[in-house]
Amino acid sequence: MRKIGHTREVPCPRESLVADWLVDADLADAFAIRIPEHAAAQGILHLARCVLGHPPVWFKGLISLRDILVAGLNIKTSRRLRGDAEADDADHIDFFRVLAVSENEVIIGEDDRHLDFRGSVLIRPVPGRAEAELIATTVVHCHNRLGKAYLMIIAPFHRLVIRSNLARAAARGWTQ
């Protein structure tokens, strides 16, 4: 039995709206955390905002460094991604564009010349328990060597960030 608030790597959920993206993915991972029933009752969009909308200071520093390094490579910066979403009047969480929302899942993503990514925050009940499982899935498809090199550099940080964001949301009590 897993305790509430403990993150762990899990298989990518086949019921996710990003499951079709798993075929030939250059990166596909999923991390889960058990959440209490009262947190699950707040709704998936609220939970996604709790996980993705409050990055730690060290992550903001990494993103700033990333933006400086990629600016000359014609890769979209976080500022540009946020600005594009706002200009399109699209819903977004931090600089992640929200592509779809269902009763139990939020899909974020972006397409660029070097890679396309989709992220999912999915909630599913735990049978026979007064809790649910929140699963954050990321799937990336690279288009060229720049995409593959970029992914190789950021993948270890990505895994740390996802696990940290899930744990931080739980520690804040699933408040925004």
Side-chain angles (χ1 to χ4, degrees):
M1 179 176 78
R2 302 281 181 195
K3 65 182 178 181
I4 290 177
H6 171 76
T7 63
R8 67 199 186 288
E9 191 163 8
V10 296
C12 295
R14 296 294 175 179
E15 71 268 29
S16 172
L17 296 173
V18 300
D20 290 348
W21 273 61
L22 296 172
V23 177
D24 296 327
D26 293 289
L27 178 136
D29 60 25
F31 296 92
I33 190 167
R34 294 276 174 104
I35 63 173
E37 191 172 50
H38 76 275
Q42 295 180 76
I44 190 61
L45 192 54
H46 172 85
L47 294 171
R49 289 188 189 288
C50 289
V51 172
L52 300 170
H54 303 281
V57 172
W58 59 265
F59 175 71
K60 291 178 183 179
L62 283 175
I63 288 296
S64 294
L65 177 61
R66 173 226 177 254
D67 287 350
I68 291 167
L69 295 174
V70 303
L73 299 173
N74 199 25
I75 294 174
K76 296 175 185 175
T77 64
S78 61
R79 184 177 186 175
R80 179 173 169 203
L81 292 170
R82 186 181 295 108
D84 288 351
E86 290 171 354
D88 294 342
D89 201 26
D91 194 10
H92 59 94
I93 302 172
D94 197 9
F95 58 88
F96 300 108
R97 184 182 294 258
V98 174
L99 302 177
V101 179
S102 70
E103 184 178 335
N104 64 341
E105 188 171 22
V106 172
I107 305 298
I108 60 168
E110 192 66 43
D111 297 339
D112 206 343
R113 65 182 188 87
H114 67 295
L115 62 77
D116 299 339
F117 92 91
R118 295 295 181 267
S120 160
V121 178
L122 172 79
I123 190 166
R124 66 179 168 201
V126 176
R129 302 190 59 95
E131 60 189 47
E133 185 173 52
L134 192 68
I135 305 166
T137 304
T138 306
V139 186
V140 178
H141 286 264
C142 297
H143 301 306
N144 51 39
R145 287 188 299 219
L146 176 61
K148 289 183 186 292
Y150 174 78
L151 185 61
M152 184 177 75
I153 293 166
I154 67 148
F157 298 105
H158 152 76
R159 291 179 180 101
L160 178 64
V161 167
I162 296 299
R163 292 183 86 127
S164 173
N165 283 0
L166 287 167
R168 285 172 43 87
R172 283 193 319 275
W174 301 100
T175 60
Q176 289 190 44

